[in-house]
PDB file of all heavy atoms in Angstrom:
ATOM      1  N   ILE A   1      28.301   1.133   3.986  1.00  0.00           N
ATOM      2  CA  ILE A   1      27.133   0.253   4.171  1.00  0.00           C
ATOM      3  C   ILE A   1      27.441  -1.005   3.430  1.00  0.00           C
ATOM      4  O   ILE A   1      27.884  -1.079   2.326  1.00  0.00           O
ATOM      5  CB  ILE A   1      25.911   0.941   3.503  1.00  0.00           C
ATOM      6  CG1 ILE A   1      25.600   2.241   4.161  1.00  0.00           C
ATOM      7  CG2 ILE A   1      24.648  -0.090   3.690  1.00  0.00           C
ATOM      8  CD1 ILE A   1      25.192   2.167   5.623  1.00  0.00           C
ATOM      9  N   ALA A   2      27.230  -2.175   4.225  1.00  0.00           N
ATOM     10  CA  ALA A   2      27.366  -3.530   3.564  1.00  0.00           C
ATOM     11  C   ALA A   2      25.822  -4.000   3.459  1.00  0.00           C
ATOM     12  O   ALA A   2      25.293  -4.327   4.325  1.00  0.00           O
ATOM     13  CB  ALA A   2      28.188  -4.439   4.393  1.00  0.00           C
ATOM     14  N   TYR A   3      25.327  -3.868   2.199  1.00  0.00           N
ATOM     15  CA  TYR A   3      24.069  -4.427   1.973  1.00  0.00           C
ATOM     16  C   TYR A   3      24.015  -5.928   1.755  1.00  0.00           C
ATOM     17  O   TYR A   3      24.566  -6.417   0.793  1.00  0.00           O
ATOM     18  CB  TYR A   3      23.418  -3.666   0.701  1.00  0.00           C
ATOM     19  CG  TYR A   3      22.075  -4.418   0.232  1.00  0.00           C
ATOM     20  CD1 TYR A   3      21.065  -4.561   1.115  1.00  0.00           C
ATOM     21  CD2 TYR A   3      21.913  -4.861  -0.999  1.00  0.00           C
ATOM     22  CE1 TYR A   3      19.879  -5.219   0.748  1.00  0.00           C
ATOM     23  CE2 TYR A   3      20.872  -5.316  -1.530  1.00  0.00           C
ATOM     24  CZ  TYR A   3      19.823  -5.625  -0.602  1.00  0.00           C
ATOM     25  OH  TYR A   3      18.604  -6.249  -1.050  1.00  0.00           O
ATOM     26  N   GLU A   4      23.516  -6.531   2.812  1.00  0.00           N
ATOM     27  CA  GLU A   4      23.486  -8.075   2.678  1.00  0.00           C
ATOM     28  C   GLU A   4      22.109  -8.626   2.923  1.00  0.00           C
ATOM     29  O   GLU A   4      21.673  -8.731   4.122  1.00  0.00           O
ATOM     30  CB  GLU A   4      24.469  -8.654   3.824  1.00  0.00           C
ATOM     31  CG  GLU A   4      25.873  -8.148   3.649  1.00  0.00           C
ATOM     32  CD  GLU A   4      26.850  -8.910   4.673  1.00  0.00           C
ATOM     33  OE1 GLU A   4      26.645  -8.640   5.835  1.00  0.00           O
ATOM     34  OE2 GLU A   4      27.713  -9.521   4.161  1.00  0.00           O
ATOM     35  N   PRO A   5      21.408  -8.953   1.804  1.00  0.00           N
ATOM     36  CA  PRO A   5      20.092  -9.587   2.082  1.00  0.00           C
ATOM     37  C   PRO A   5      20.298 -10.783   2.951  1.00  0.00           C
ATOM     38  O   PRO A   5      20.975 -11.694   2.654  1.00  0.00           O
ATOM     39  CB  PRO A   5      19.582  -9.884   0.716  1.00  0.00           C
ATOM     40  CG  PRO A   5      20.386  -9.006  -0.254  1.00  0.00           C
ATOM     41  CD  PRO A   5      21.750  -8.837   0.511  1.00  0.00           C
ATOM     42  N   VAL A   6      19.477 -10.968   4.030  1.00  0.00           N
ATOM     43  CA  VAL A   6      19.806 -11.957   5.002  1.00  0.00           C
ATOM     44  C   VAL A   6      19.556 -13.272   4.283  1.00  0.00           C
ATOM     45  O   VAL A   6      20.200 -14.270   4.598  1.00  0.00           O
ATOM     46  CB  VAL A   6      18.716 -11.813   6.089  1.00  0.00           C
ATOM     47  CG1 VAL A   6      18.937 -13.045   7.088  1.00  0.00           C
ATOM     48  CG2 VAL A   6      19.106 -10.491   6.956  1.00  0.00           C
ATOM     49  N   TRP A   7      18.523 -13.390   3.394  1.00  0.00           N
ATOM     50  CA  TRP A   7      18.263 -14.671   2.745  1.00  0.00           C
ATOM     51  C   TRP A   7      19.279 -15.106   1.717  1.00  0.00           C
ATOM     52  O   TRP A   7      19.315 -16.200   1.331  1.00  0.00           O
ATOM     53  CB  TRP A   7      16.883 -14.499   2.016  1.00  0.00           C
ATOM     54  CG  TRP A   7      16.811 -13.202   1.221  1.00  0.00           C
ATOM     55  CD1 TRP A   7      16.363 -12.039   1.547  1.00  0.00           C
ATOM     56  CD2 TRP A   7      17.121 -13.168  -0.222  1.00  0.00           C
ATOM     57  NE1 TRP A   7      16.405 -11.169   0.516  1.00  0.00           N
ATOM     58  CE2 TRP A   7      16.870 -11.783  -0.568  1.00  0.00           C
ATOM     59  CE3 TRP A   7      17.523 -14.051  -1.227  1.00  0.00           C
ATOM     60  CZ2 TRP A   7      17.018 -11.375  -1.995  1.00  0.00           C
ATOM     61  CZ3 TRP A   7      17.749 -13.560  -2.540  1.00  0.00           C
ATOM     62  CH2 TRP A   7      17.510 -12.175  -2.775  1.00  0.00           C
ATOM     63  N   ALA A   8      20.183 -14.160   1.367  1.00  0.00           N
ATOM     64  CA  ALA A   8      21.316 -14.599   0.466  1.00  0.00           C
ATOM     65  C   ALA A   8      22.613 -14.959   1.241  1.00  0.00           C
ATOM     66  O   ALA A   8      23.540 -15.446   0.612  1.00  0.00           O
ATOM     67  CB  ALA A   8      21.595 -13.406  -0.408  1.00  0.00           C
ATOM     68  N   ILE A   9      22.746 -14.643   2.477  1.00  0.00           N
ATOM     69  CA  ILE A   9      23.921 -15.027   3.207  1.00  0.00           C
ATOM     70  C   ILE A   9      24.040 -16.497   3.347  1.00  0.00           C
ATOM     71  O   ILE A   9      23.229 -17.177   3.811  1.00  0.00           O
ATOM     72  CB  ILE A   9      23.978 -14.442   4.607  1.00  0.00           C
ATOM     73  CG1 ILE A   9      23.940 -12.912   4.548  1.00  0.00           C
ATOM     74  CG2 ILE A   9      25.109 -14.750   5.447  1.00  0.00           C
ATOM     75  CD1 ILE A   9      23.683 -12.150   5.823  1.00  0.00           C
ATOM     76  N   GLY A  10      25.249 -17.094   2.839  1.00  0.00           N
ATOM     77  CA  GLY A  10      25.448 -18.518   2.896  1.00  0.00           C
ATOM     78  C   GLY A  10      24.681 -19.422   1.835  1.00  0.00           C
ATOM     79  O   GLY A  10      24.846 -20.484   1.826  1.00  0.00           O
ATOM     80  N   ALA A  11      23.981 -18.625   0.940  1.00  0.00           N
ATOM     81  CA  ALA A  11      23.294 -19.407  -0.132  1.00  0.00           C
ATOM     82  C   ALA A  11      24.302 -19.911  -1.105  1.00  0.00           C
ATOM     83  O   ALA A  11      25.510 -19.428  -1.268  1.00  0.00           O
ATOM     84  CB  ALA A  11      22.290 -18.443  -0.728  1.00  0.00           C
ATOM     85  N   ALA A  12      23.852 -20.702  -2.047  1.00  0.00           N
ATOM     86  CA  ALA A  12      24.700 -21.204  -3.126  1.00  0.00           C
ATOM     87  C   ALA A  12      25.078 -20.217  -4.138  1.00  0.00           C
ATOM     88  O   ALA A  12      26.055 -20.161  -4.727  1.00  0.00           O
ATOM     89  CB  ALA A  12      24.011 -22.432  -3.926  1.00  0.00           C
ATOM     90  N   GLU A  13      24.147 -19.223  -4.294  1.00  0.00           N
ATOM     91  CA  GLU A  13      24.344 -18.123  -5.281  1.00  0.00           C
ATOM     92  C   GLU A  13      23.966 -16.852  -4.647  1.00  0.00           C
ATOM     93  O   GLU A  13      23.208 -16.723  -3.775  1.00  0.00           O
ATOM     94  CB  GLU A  13      23.429 -18.347  -6.573  1.00  0.00           C
ATOM     95  CG  GLU A  13      23.800 -19.533  -7.322  1.00  0.00           C
ATOM     96  CD  GLU A  13      25.217 -19.432  -8.084  1.00  0.00           C
ATOM     97  OE1 GLU A  13      25.638 -18.345  -8.242  1.00  0.00           O
ATOM     98  OE2 GLU A  13      25.905 -20.495  -8.250  1.00  0.00           O
ATOM     99  N   PRO A  14      24.603 -15.771  -5.108  1.00  0.00           N
ATOM    100  CA  PRO A  14      24.189 -14.312  -4.547  1.00  0.00           C
ATOM    101  C   PRO A  14      22.751 -13.973  -5.041  1.00  0.00           C
ATOM    102  O   PRO A  14      22.182 -14.713  -5.982  1.00  0.00           O
ATOM    103  CB  PRO A  14      25.278 -13.431  -5.140  1.00  0.00           C
ATOM    104  CG  PRO A  14      25.672 -14.174  -6.444  1.00  0.00           C
ATOM    105  CD  PRO A  14      25.672 -15.600  -6.106  1.00  0.00           C
ATOM    106  N   ALA A  15      22.233 -12.949  -4.447  1.00  0.00           N
ATOM    107  CA  ALA A  15      20.902 -12.401  -4.960  1.00  0.00           C
ATOM    108  C   ALA A  15      21.119 -12.008  -6.371  1.00  0.00           C
ATOM    109  O   ALA A  15      22.334 -11.644  -6.879  1.00  0.00           O
ATOM    110  CB  ALA A  15      20.577 -11.228  -4.092  1.00  0.00           C
ATOM    111  N   ASP A  16      20.015 -12.031  -7.173  1.00  0.00           N
ATOM    112  CA  ASP A  16      20.142 -11.615  -8.581  1.00  0.00           C
ATOM    113  C   ASP A  16      20.710 -10.163  -8.694  1.00  0.00           C
ATOM    114  O   ASP A  16      20.318  -9.268  -8.028  1.00  0.00           O
ATOM    115  CB  ASP A  16      18.742 -11.686  -9.178  1.00  0.00           C
ATOM    116  CG  ASP A  16      18.654 -11.219 -10.609  1.00  0.00           C
ATOM    117  OD1 ASP A  16      19.122 -12.079 -11.412  1.00  0.00           O
ATOM    118  OD2 ASP A  16      18.204 -10.106 -10.827  1.00  0.00           O
ATOM    119  N   ALA A  17      21.500 -10.042  -9.695  1.00  0.00           N
ATOM    120  CA  ALA A  17      22.279  -8.671  -9.933  1.00  0.00           C
ATOM    121  C   ALA A  17      21.175  -7.612 -10.065  1.00  0.00           C
ATOM    122  O   ALA A  17      21.380  -6.481  -9.656  1.00  0.00           O
ATOM    123  CB  ALA A  17      23.220  -8.813 -10.989  1.00  0.00           C
ATOM    124  N   GLY A  18      20.124  -7.911 -10.863  1.00  0.00           N
ATOM    125  CA  GLY A  18      19.199  -6.869 -11.188  1.00  0.00           C
ATOM    126  C   GLY A  18      18.435  -6.507  -9.884  1.00  0.00           C
ATOM    127  O   GLY A  18      18.273  -5.293  -9.734  1.00  0.00           O
ATOM    128  N   TYR A  19      18.111  -7.483  -9.013  1.00  0.00           N
ATOM    129  CA  TYR A  19      17.459  -7.131  -7.688  1.00  0.00           C
ATOM    130  C   TYR A  19      18.292  -6.283  -6.917  1.00  0.00           C
ATOM    131  O   TYR A  19      17.977  -5.324  -6.344  1.00  0.00           O
ATOM    132  CB  TYR A  19      17.091  -8.459  -7.045  1.00  0.00           C
ATOM    133  CG  TYR A  19      16.509  -8.277  -5.645  1.00  0.00           C
ATOM    134  CD1 TYR A  19      15.132  -8.094  -5.554  1.00  0.00           C
ATOM    135  CD2 TYR A  19      17.300  -8.286  -4.521  1.00  0.00           C
ATOM    136  CE1 TYR A  19      14.529  -7.919  -4.277  1.00  0.00           C
ATOM    137  CE2 TYR A  19      16.715  -8.108  -3.290  1.00  0.00           C
ATOM    138  CZ  TYR A  19      15.327  -7.997  -3.140  1.00  0.00           C
ATOM    139  OH  TYR A  19      14.739  -7.670  -1.967  1.00  0.00           O
ATOM    140  N   VAL A  20      19.618  -6.673  -6.803  1.00  0.00           N
ATOM    141  CA  VAL A  20      20.499  -5.909  -5.957  1.00  0.00           C
ATOM    142  C   VAL A  20      20.677  -4.414  -6.394  1.00  0.00           C
ATOM    143  O   VAL A  20      20.610  -3.538  -5.759  1.00  0.00           O
ATOM    144  CB  VAL A  20      21.940  -6.566  -5.815  1.00  0.00           C
ATOM    145  CG1 VAL A  20      22.991  -5.684  -5.111  1.00  0.00           C
ATOM    146  CG2 VAL A  20      21.861  -7.959  -5.176  1.00  0.00           C
ATOM    147  N   SER A  21      20.826  -4.313  -7.769  1.00  0.00           N
ATOM    148  CA  SER A  21      20.950  -2.993  -8.376  1.00  0.00           C
ATOM    149  C   SER A  21      19.755  -2.093  -7.995  1.00  0.00           C
ATOM    150  O   SER A  21      19.917  -0.930  -7.811  1.00  0.00           O
ATOM    151  CB  SER A  21      21.264  -3.099  -9.774  1.00  0.00           C
ATOM    152  OG  SER A  21      22.401  -3.854 -10.103  1.00  0.00           O
ATOM    153  N   ASP A  22      18.507  -2.770  -8.252  1.00  0.00           N
ATOM    154  CA  ASP A  22      17.363  -2.026  -7.983  1.00  0.00           C
ATOM    155  C   ASP A  22      17.168  -1.576  -6.534  1.00  0.00           C
ATOM    156  O   ASP A  22      16.848  -0.314  -6.257  1.00  0.00           O
ATOM    157  CB  ASP A  22      16.053  -2.831  -8.308  1.00  0.00           C
ATOM    158  CG  ASP A  22      15.935  -2.954  -9.898  1.00  0.00           C
ATOM    159  OD1 ASP A  22      16.557  -2.193 -10.652  1.00  0.00           O
ATOM    160  OD2 ASP A  22      15.148  -3.867 -10.280  1.00  0.00           O
ATOM    161  N   VAL A  23      17.560  -2.410  -5.619  1.00  0.00           N
ATOM    162  CA  VAL A  23      17.414  -2.137  -4.206  1.00  0.00           C
ATOM    163  C   VAL A  23      18.378  -0.952  -3.833  1.00  0.00           C
ATOM    164  O   VAL A  23      17.982   0.085  -3.205  1.00  0.00           O
ATOM    165  CB  VAL A  23      17.656  -3.356  -3.367  1.00  0.00           C
ATOM    166  CG1 VAL A  23      17.750  -2.819  -1.791  1.00  0.00           C
ATOM    167  CG2 VAL A  23      16.660  -4.414  -3.497  1.00  0.00           C
ATOM    168  N   VAL A  24      19.614  -1.078  -4.278  1.00  0.00           N
ATOM    169  CA  VAL A  24      20.688  -0.101  -3.910  1.00  0.00           C
ATOM    170  C   VAL A  24      20.347   1.188  -4.658  1.00  0.00           C
ATOM    171  O   VAL A  24      20.547   2.296  -4.038  1.00  0.00           O
ATOM    172  CB  VAL A  24      22.123  -0.618  -4.450  1.00  0.00           C
ATOM    173  CG1 VAL A  24      23.061   0.519  -4.322  1.00  0.00           C
ATOM    174  CG2 VAL A  24      22.546  -1.678  -3.596  1.00  0.00           C
ATOM    175  N   ASN A  25      19.796   1.220  -5.902  1.00  0.00           N
ATOM    176  CA  ASN A  25      19.430   2.538  -6.553  1.00  0.00           C
ATOM    177  C   ASN A  25      18.186   3.122  -5.846  1.00  0.00           C
ATOM    178  O   ASN A  25      18.233   4.441  -5.681  1.00  0.00           O
ATOM    179  CB  ASN A  25      19.220   2.325  -8.083  1.00  0.00           C
ATOM    180  CG  ASN A  25      20.478   2.173  -8.720  1.00  0.00           C
ATOM    181  OD1 ASN A  25      21.457   2.894  -8.571  1.00  0.00           O
ATOM    182  ND2 ASN A  25      20.641   1.202  -9.680  1.00  0.00           N
ATOM    183  N   HIS A  26      17.235   2.386  -5.415  1.00  0.00           N
ATOM    184  CA  HIS A  26      16.181   2.979  -4.541  1.00  0.00           C
ATOM    185  C   HIS A  26      16.799   3.508  -3.333  1.00  0.00           C
ATOM    186  O   HIS A  26      16.329   4.631  -2.772  1.00  0.00           O
ATOM    187  CB  HIS A  26      15.117   1.828  -4.282  1.00  0.00           C
ATOM    188  CG  HIS A  26      14.014   1.665  -5.326  1.00  0.00           C
ATOM    189  ND1 HIS A  26      14.316   0.857  -6.393  1.00  0.00           N
ATOM    190  CD2 HIS A  26      12.913   2.297  -5.422  1.00  0.00           C
ATOM    191  CE1 HIS A  26      13.226   0.823  -7.145  1.00  0.00           C
ATOM    192  NE2 HIS A  26      12.320   1.760  -6.566  1.00  0.00           N
ATOM    193  N   LEU A  27      17.723   2.768  -2.643  1.00  0.00           N
ATOM    194  CA  LEU A  27      18.317   3.263  -1.442  1.00  0.00           C
ATOM    195  C   LEU A  27      18.918   4.575  -1.624  1.00  0.00           C
ATOM    196  O   LEU A  27      18.852   5.482  -0.785  1.00  0.00           O
ATOM    197  CB  LEU A  27      19.231   2.129  -0.877  1.00  0.00           C
ATOM    198  CG  LEU A  27      19.912   2.566   0.341  1.00  0.00           C
ATOM    199  CD1 LEU A  27      19.142   2.800   1.559  1.00  0.00           C
ATOM    200  CD2 LEU A  27      21.045   1.487   0.752  1.00  0.00           C
ATOM    201  N   ARG A  28      19.774   4.761  -2.707  1.00  0.00           N
ATOM    202  CA  ARG A  28      20.412   5.894  -3.060  1.00  0.00           C
ATOM    203  C   ARG A  28      19.492   7.115  -3.086  1.00  0.00           C
ATOM    204  O   ARG A  28      19.718   8.293  -2.722  1.00  0.00           O
ATOM    205  CB  ARG A  28      21.253   5.787  -4.245  1.00  0.00           C
ATOM    206  CG  ARG A  28      22.402   4.937  -4.104  1.00  0.00           C
ATOM    207  CD  ARG A  28      23.539   5.094  -4.996  1.00  0.00           C
ATOM    208  NE  ARG A  28      24.587   4.224  -4.851  1.00  0.00           N
ATOM    209  CZ  ARG A  28      25.693   4.325  -3.767  1.00  0.00           C
ATOM    210  NH1 ARG A  28      25.512   5.290  -3.088  1.00  0.00           N
ATOM    211  NH2 ARG A  28      26.566   3.366  -3.784  1.00  0.00           N
ATOM    212  N   GLY A  29      18.253   6.821  -3.739  1.00  0.00           N
ATOM    213  CA  GLY A  29      17.227   7.898  -3.779  1.00  0.00           C
ATOM    214  C   GLY A  29      16.762   8.297  -2.440  1.00  0.00           C
ATOM    215  O   GLY A  29      16.523   9.493  -2.105  1.00  0.00           O
ATOM    216  N   LEU A  30      16.687   7.406  -1.415  1.00  0.00           N
ATOM    217  CA  LEU A  30      16.212   7.779  -0.052  1.00  0.00           C
ATOM    218  C   LEU A  30      17.449   8.472   0.615  1.00  0.00           C
ATOM    219  O   LEU A  30      17.196   9.474   1.402  1.00  0.00           O
ATOM    220  CB  LEU A  30      15.964   6.483   0.715  1.00  0.00           C
ATOM    221  CG  LEU A  30      14.798   5.674   0.172  1.00  0.00           C
ATOM    222  CD1 LEU A  30      14.514   4.350   0.876  1.00  0.00           C
ATOM    223  CD2 LEU A  30      13.417   6.501   0.372  1.00  0.00           C
TER     224      LEU A  30
END
């Protein structure tokens, strides 16, 4: 799985590390 928030693609900075970690850990629960 390549988790790529659409709003972060091509942005100056990646999505916040805490946000990414939270989403991925929620996803692992699912």
Side-chain angles (χ1 to χ4, degrees):
I1 301 299
Y3 168 54
E4 298 188 300
V6 177
W7 49 273
I9 297 172
E13 294 292 331
D16 179 77
Y19 177 85
V20 173
S21 300
D22 285 347
V23 172
V24 172
N25 283 316
H26 275 88
L27 176 61
R28 293 202 181 282
L30 297 173

